Amino acid sequence: QQPVQSPQAVILREGEDAVINCSSSKALYSVHWYRQKHGEAPVFLMILLKGGEQKGHEKISASFNEKKQQSSLYLTASQLSYSGTYFCGTGEVGMRFGAGTRLTVKP
Amino acid sequence: NAGVTQTPKFQVLKTGQSMTLQCAQDMNHNSMYWYRQDPGMGLRLIYYSASEGTTDKGEVPNGYNVSRLNKREFSLRLESAAPSQTSVYFCASSERVTYEQYFGPGTRLTVT
């Protein structure tokens, strides 16, 4: 079962904040976050593990609510370079990715 | 380090033709994956190999076969290409199945 992401798209001005949500109908043990720029491969941003451990990006943070089977990615003081499509991925063996959230940051 | 490499970068096939997509990683990773990405959509897992010598089906395995040739290489074969297989194919690798994945640049396949 694929995780569900929201919103599908968001447009920001530089310096604004955004939150991207990811939810699953199955119990989550970890959540991965990736960013993909147009025409390029996805790039790893962050892993959140059951128990609260996080590994990843310095300027992007995330939360993981195991009980609600949800994760949120927080992009603060957005920069032009944050533009791209963000995917969450779940699954212990064999990743399932959400459909993506397209983020556009304008000057 | 090259990371994850894929060949070819582009390919056009006619319906019914066969081809093999090649993937290699130089990070000594145990796990490797094949995904397809259709326009405006997320990544869907075709097959994966948790470790050398093992392969397992993902979400959308029909019409594909894979071979984990050795620890470095993981190939994807289309035996009889169909227009529905037109997509961008990404190979990825990770140290273990639950760890972060590193993606190759992708192969853009068109089946006419």
Side-chain angles (χ1 to χ4, degrees), chain A residues 17-77:
Chain A
D17 301 339
V19 180
I20 299 172
N21 300 303
C22 175
S23 63
S24 174
S25 58
K26 288 188 171 183
L28 294 178
Y29 298 95
S30 67
V31 177
H32 293 218
W33 286 97
Y34 293 80
R35 178 171 62 208
Q36 185 178 31
K37 294 188 179 282
H38 183 68
E40 299 181 6
V43 173
F44 168 74
L45 290 177
M46 182 167 293
I47 281 183
L48 298 104
L49 304 171
K50 195 173 182 179
E53 184 181 352
Q54 294 187 27
K55 295 194 294 179
H57 205 279
E58 290 179 358
K59 296 185 179 180
I60 295 173
S61 62
S63 64
F64 181 21
N65 187 323
E66 298 159 27
K67 284 187 179 178
K68 290 186 177 180
Q69 297 165 192
Q70 292 176 345
S71 176
S72 295
L73 189 70
Y74 304 97
L75 301 140
T76 55

Side-chain angles (χ1 to χ4, degrees), chain B residues 23-38:
Chain B
C23 173
Q25 52 90 10
D26 63 0
M27 296 175 281
N28 201 35
H29 284 169
N30 292 297
S31 305
M32 298 185 73
Y33 315 83
W34 277 106
Y35 295 93
R36 60 176 289 174
Q37 186 174 37
D38 299 315

Side-chain angles (χ1 to χ4, degrees), chain B residues 38-92:
Chain B
D38 299 315
M41 295 183 67
L43 298 143
R44 289 186 292 170
L45 183 65
I46 304 171
Y47 271 93
Y48 65 97
S49 172
S51 60
E52 187 179 356
T54 69
T55 60
D56 285 286
K57 295 178 181 180
E59 284 180 86
V60 288
N62 291 345
Y64 306 95
N65 284 303
V66 291
S67 296
R68 183 76 182 265
L69 304 171
N70 47 55
K71 192 171 185 179
R72 289 187 64 248
E73 298 172 289
F74 189 37
S75 64
L76 179 72
R77 182 159 178 85
L78 287 70
E79 290 291 349
S80 178
S84 60
Q85 293 178 306
T86 293
S87 190
V88 179
Y89 291 84
F90 287 102
C91 176

